[in-house]
Amino acid sequence: MAEVTQLIHEYLRHDKKFPHVLCPGCGHGIVLGSLIRSVHALGIAKDDVALVAGIGCSGRVAVYVDFNTVHAVHGRALTVATGIKMAKPEMHVIVVQGDGDALSIGGNHFIHAARRNIGLTVLVLNNFIYGMTGGQCSSATPLGCWSTTTPYGQMEKSFDFVEMTRAAGANFVSRGTVFHVKTLDKLIQQALTHEGFSLVEVLTPCHTQFGRKNKFKSPVDMYQWLKKTATPLEAYEKLDPDKRAGRIPIGVFVDNHEPALETRYAAMRAKFAKG
Amino acid sequence: MSAKRKTAAREIFALGAEAVVEGALLAGCSFYGGYPITPSSEIMESMAERLPRTEDGVFIQMEDEIASLGACIGASLAGRKVMTATSGPGFSLMQELIGYACMIEAPLVLVNVMRGGPSTGLPTSPAQGDVQQARWGTHGDHSIIVLSATDVQDCLHMTVKAFNFSEKYRSPVILLLDEVTAHTREKITVPLAKDLEILYRLQPSMPPEWYKPFEETVRGVPPMPPIGSGYRFHATGLTHDDHGYPTQKSDEVVAAISRQFRKIDQFFFDIQITDEFLTEDAEVGVVAYGSVARSAHLAVEQARERGIKAGLIDLKTLFPFPRAAVEGLLRRCRTVIVPEMNMGQISREVKRVNPGTSTVWTINRIDGHIITPKQILESIRKG
Ligand SMILES: Cc1ncc(C[n+]2csc(CCOP(=O)(O)OP(=O)(O)O)c2C)c(N)n1
Ligand code: SF4
């Protein structure tokens, strides 16, 4: 406990008026905790971190933590982060987005940031729903699930963030959950130290908007569900294909070492500098 | 840059678009994020060639105009002087982020080479249809600086001005050009940076713990350190207090938005640039901007040859609207003519500031053709 308190004092903003805006039981706070622990464990200075967030409950986490923080506009966090990274490649530029922010409104930017393989660490807080605006469906809402805009069940298929990011060409693609916190810490640390575009998709429950409509009686039910369905990739791959249904693999899916955009750019400029 | 540092002003034969690039580089622009669109693409292409060869220049072609402006805002937060250029449809896409840049007070220069509209409109034809959009295109109440340029040399100087204003007032600055100005090739002089006034955003002098990114200051403009320099702060599009934290308290909300207006309004004497030509004894006045001002210049000369006391105000600043200069002209003249390549976007402002002393006539052209000196002269003769 003492250690937790210390980290809070070191990383949260003292002059910010708390309490925070997140609902009790929301997974977003756990992700923030994991991020802070990871930055701390890697010994990255606060000044060297720029945290850019989109709009949504997920976007609100930026205001509480004592980094250079930017709360951008809905869907465009990656564009702002791209500008920061290209201007200051030496900084750790971290992006926090909701599933709606990242792949609904921001889908095009997401694909292109991954394609460019620009050195950003992107945490997509996937709660399968639009939390902040009151539980409308997002492009991650699973087929058949209920939301305020799919009162008869979702008819569209949802995005698989991992497959999408892999196909777009990112260097590091992973998925974790807020139930498996130790694994999450590790994934975030790997992402933070990996060259090029790094995705950590985090499954995080929104009990208030998703759970309530989809027969999860309490936040605890949702965490129990994460515990049951999330399966480490190695174990998942060993399963018979018919046993895989309903399970979500977690772990590292892509671990490439292509040069990042900023590295390629620096090499091109170095040629001019030599004359 | 270092190897071949220029030692004297140069004369070059350049497009208006290229003059914008010369101006931007002189002003210290080191980041360009953009997306191609006619008739602004020459600015981007020239930047793509020039920037990587400068000391720390970054050029990036983004996936669309929203991304372009987003990247510019990020780089501006990281301490760069940034620019993007676009045209009608791209300008419309950028509107949300223009408001965001106003709210977080990010310096940036946005060049809009206007084309006919609405929608895809007249892609390569001159128009001046985005004047009111530049002022009020984004949602909410905000201040902004909008400039224009008359000829190629002017493109260079107004771009430098745009950077200076954006840095000095911590504000996005929109430079509105028309296709004629951007695509005209003329001989211009490229001065040395040391012979120009080049301004940089104010840096904090207090220790980081004392720094408030949106603090009230005498000029209303808070200092702005680059991200990563030890001054950590929160930038948000939500209405915020002087720390940058979201607030809904009336006193904080009103104070924040009022300061953003005041930081620009109270310096109107610095920002409102106009060129006056034979206005002192004018009886018929013309108010024009962009390439139309060139036609108007000739028309006024020709009117004088015919014994008509005509005069011209060429607006270099469109917003905040140069009220003092235009009001003076309205008081002196029996008729003031406002020719523009739209349905009346600046004449609306002229009429607004008319103290009732003269009649305001408009010449409007929306067919993608320029307004000729002859057309203006005819109107002057009737006025
Ligand atoms: C351009 C624009 N459109 C719509 C909105 C309204 N809006 C705010 S948050 C949000 C959805 C957020 O969902 P998600 O990104 O999944 O994040 P969560 O709240 O679930 O963490 C929407 C649609 C907005 N702010 N801006
Ligand atoms: S609405 Fe959902 S995502 Fe938003 S804070 Fe509440 S639980 Fe979290």
Side-chain angles (χ1 to χ4, degrees), chain A residues 21-29 56-58 127 129-135 204-210:
Chain A
V21 299
L22 304 178
C23 310
C26 177
H28 289 4
C57 299
S58 43
N127 55 12
I129 200 91
Y130 285 1
M132 179 146 274
T133 35
T204 158
C206 168
H207 174 259
T208 312
Q209 304 296 0
F210 186 79

Side-chain angles (χ1 to χ4, degrees), chain A residues 2-275:
Chain A
E3 197 197 339
V4 172
T5 319
Q6 238 176 18
L7 276 189
I8 287 177
H9 289 173
E10 198 175 331
Y11 287 92
L12 294 194
R13 287 186 154 130
H14 308 271
D15 44 5
K16 168 81 191 79
K17 295 155 234 159
F18 281 91
H20 56 71
V21 299
L22 304 178
C23 310
C26 177
H28 289 4
I30 300 177
V31 186
L32 182 61
S34 187
L35 176 64
I36 288 173
R37 274 193 304 280
S38 304
V39 168
H40 185 75
L42 293 170
I44 299 169
K46 288 195 276 187
D47 280 329
D48 293 339
V49 177
L51 178 64
V52 185
I55 300 288
C57 299
S58 43
R60 290 300 185 96
V61 302
V63 70
Y64 304 112
V65 57
D66 189 24
F67 298 136
N68 304 283
T69 52
V70 185
H71 184 217
V73 305
H74 194 30
R76 321 299 172 193
L78 282 170
T79 71
V80 175
T82 297
I84 296 174
K85 185 67 183 178
M86 289 307 281
K88 290 209 156 183
E90 69 281 7
M91 285 186 78
H92 287 272
V93 183
I94 303 168
V95 180
V96 173
Q97 302 184 273
D99 45 308
D101 198 88
L103 268 186
S104 297
I105 187 166
N108 199 35
H109 306 308
F110 191 91
I111 295 167
H112 287 281
R115 169 184 67 82
R116 287 188 182 107
N117 198 27
I118 182 167
L120 305 174
T121 301
V122 183
L123 310 183
V124 174
L125 278 47
N126 187 359
N127 55 12
F128 311 112
I129 200 91
Y130 285 1
M132 179 146 274
T133 35
Q136 299 83 6
C137 79
S138 85
S139 49
T141 305
L143 203 62
C145 282
W146 287 277
S147 73
T148 53
T149 48
T150 54
Y152 312 113
Q154 168 65 296
M155 283 171 285
E156 303 170 7
K157 290 216 287 184
S158 61
F159 266 129
D160 182 328
F161 280 68
V162 163
E163 290 311 321
M164 169 69 94
T165 318
R166 183 210 302 269
N171 255 0
F172 182 83
V173 180
S174 69
R175 181 189 287 130
T177 90
V178 291
F179 183 84
H180 307 82
V181 182
K182 289 246 159 70
T183 316
L184 185 60
D185 286 13
K186 248 199 281 176
L187 292 176
I188 295 178
Q189 285 179 39
Q190 273 178 277
L192 278 169
T193 48
H194 208 96
E195 179 171 25
F197 190 92
S198 306
L199 167 74
V200 185
E201 179 194 355
V202 190
L203 305 181
T204 158
C206 168
H207 174 259
T208 312
Q209 304 296 0
F210 186 79
R212 209 162 33 89
K213 281 221 150 42
N214 287 285
K215 307 217 169 88
F216 290 99
K217 288 206 191 70
S218 71
V220 177
D221 279 358
M222 295 205 71
Y223 286 87
Q224 290 290 355
W225 174 80
L226 280 181
K227 183 184 174 187
K228 271 206 315 261
T229 46
T231 314
L233 184 60
E234 304 72 40
Y236 182 85
E237 277 172 344
K238 283 184 200 134
L239 287 176
D240 286 339
D242 56 322
K243 291 245 171 68
R244 287 183 189 172
R247 289 184 178 273
I248 304 173
I250 59 171
V252 177
F253 298 80
V254 176
D255 187 2
N256 287 340
H257 294 272
E258 298 265 331
L261 172 66
E262 64 277 12
T263 311
R264 291 199 162 117
Y265 197 85
M268 183 252 293
R269 282 170 35 92
K271 275 191 245 158
F272 294 131
K274 275 194 220 118

Side-chain angles (χ1 to χ4, degrees), chain B residues 42-355:
Chain B
E42 289 84 357
I43 295 176
M44 181 178 189
E45 287 162 5
S46 179
M47 273 298 198
E49 197 179 321
R50 301 283 296 278
L51 266 180
R53 293 174 176 271
T54 65
E55 215 162 291
D56 56 357
V58 176
F59 169 88
I60 185 164
Q61 177 168 335
M62 296 298 288
E63 54 273 18
D64 60 29
E65 286 84 352
I66 301 175
S68 304
L69 192 54
C72 285
I73 289 171
S76 178
L77 283 166
R80 299 301 191 100
K81 288 192 180 184
V82 305
M83 182 168 87
T84 188
T86 190
S87 187
F91 192 53
S92 295
L93 284 182
M94 287 175 175
Q95 290 301 334
E96 185 190 13
L97 277 170
I98 293 175
Y100 180 74
C102 289
M103 197 58 141
I104 68 165
E105 301 177 58
L108 63 89
V109 173
L110 196 175
V111 185
N112 175 3
V113 186
M114 293 177 281
R115 58 193 239 173
S119 193
T120 327
L122 301 166
T124 48
S125 305
Q128 296 176 316
D130 304 349
V131 172
Q132 290 293 344
Q133 192 194 7
R135 177 63 194 92
W136 293 114
T138 190
H139 53 286
D141 293 304
H142 63 93
S143 61
I144 199 148
I145 299 171
V146 183
L147 308 177
S148 77
T150 313
D151 56 31
V152 178
Q153 184 73 57
D154 210 24
C155 282
L156 186 152
H157 283 296
M158 291 314 291
T159 304
V160 175
K161 278 266 178 232
F163 274 96
N164 283 348
F165 285 157
S166 78
E167 294 285 316
K168 189 171 178 183
Y169 297 106
R170 249 190 98 167
S171 170
V173 174
I174 296 168
L175 176 60
L176 284 184
L177 303 179
D178 55 71
E179 188 270 344
V180 181
T181 316
H183 282 169
T184 299
R185 203 176 272 284
E186 284 179 302
K187 190 167 85 174
I188 61 161
T189 306
V190 181
L192 292 176
K194 68 171 175 59
D195 296 330
L196 294 170
E197 185 191 34
I198 306 283
L199 302 179
Y200 294 87
R201 63 194 76 164
L202 193 66
Q203 292 302 311
S205 53
M206 66 288 274
E209 320 76 89
W210 296 2
Y211 172 66
K212 291 187 202 157
F214 301 97
E215 190 172 24
E216 181 61 276
T217 64
V218 181
R219 270 178 45 214
V221 184
M224 184 181 181
I227 271 180
S229 62
Y231 291 84
R232 295 182 298 275
F233 65 90
H234 185 60
T236 178
L238 289 165
T239 307
H240 43 262
D241 61 16
D242 51 8
H243 274 98
Y245 302 141
T247 179
Q248 295 192 357
K249 288 191 190 149
S250 304
D251 56 335
E252 291 178 342
V253 170
V254 174
I257 301 295
S258 308
R259 178 181 58 71
Q260 288 175 19
F261 267 96
R262 189 163 43 72
K263 74 175 179 182
I264 289 185
D265 290 348
Q266 73 183 353
F267 289 99
F268 66 90
F269 60 86
D270 179 37
I271 301 171
Q272 299 182 348
I273 311 166
T274 55
D275 245 3
E276 302 213 11
F277 177 58
L278 304 176
T279 52
E280 252 161 52
D281 62 341
E283 288 165 3
V284 180
V286 182
V287 175
Y289 53 98
S291 67
V292 179
R294 283 183 106 168
S295 293
H297 201 278
L298 187 59
V300 166
E301 273 176 0
Q302 290 169 347
R304 287 276 172 173
E305 281 163 17
R306 287 165 174 73
I308 307 167
K309 287 188 171 165
L312 164 71
I313 293 185
D314 174 359
L315 304 178
K316 305 292 181 186
T317 303
L318 300 180
F319 295 104
F321 187 69
R323 178 177 195 135
V326 174
E327 215 179 303
L329 188 76
L330 286 159
R331 283 185 194 284
R332 263 170 278 153
C333 298
R334 60 175 182 271
T335 310
V336 169
I337 301 161
V338 190
E340 46 184 340
M341 292 185 282
N342 59 44
M343 292 295 280
Q345 299 197 18
I346 279 293
S347 62
R348 170 189 284 262
E349 299 297 318
V350 176
K351 286 173 186 163
R352 180 173 65 81
V353 303
N354 186 2

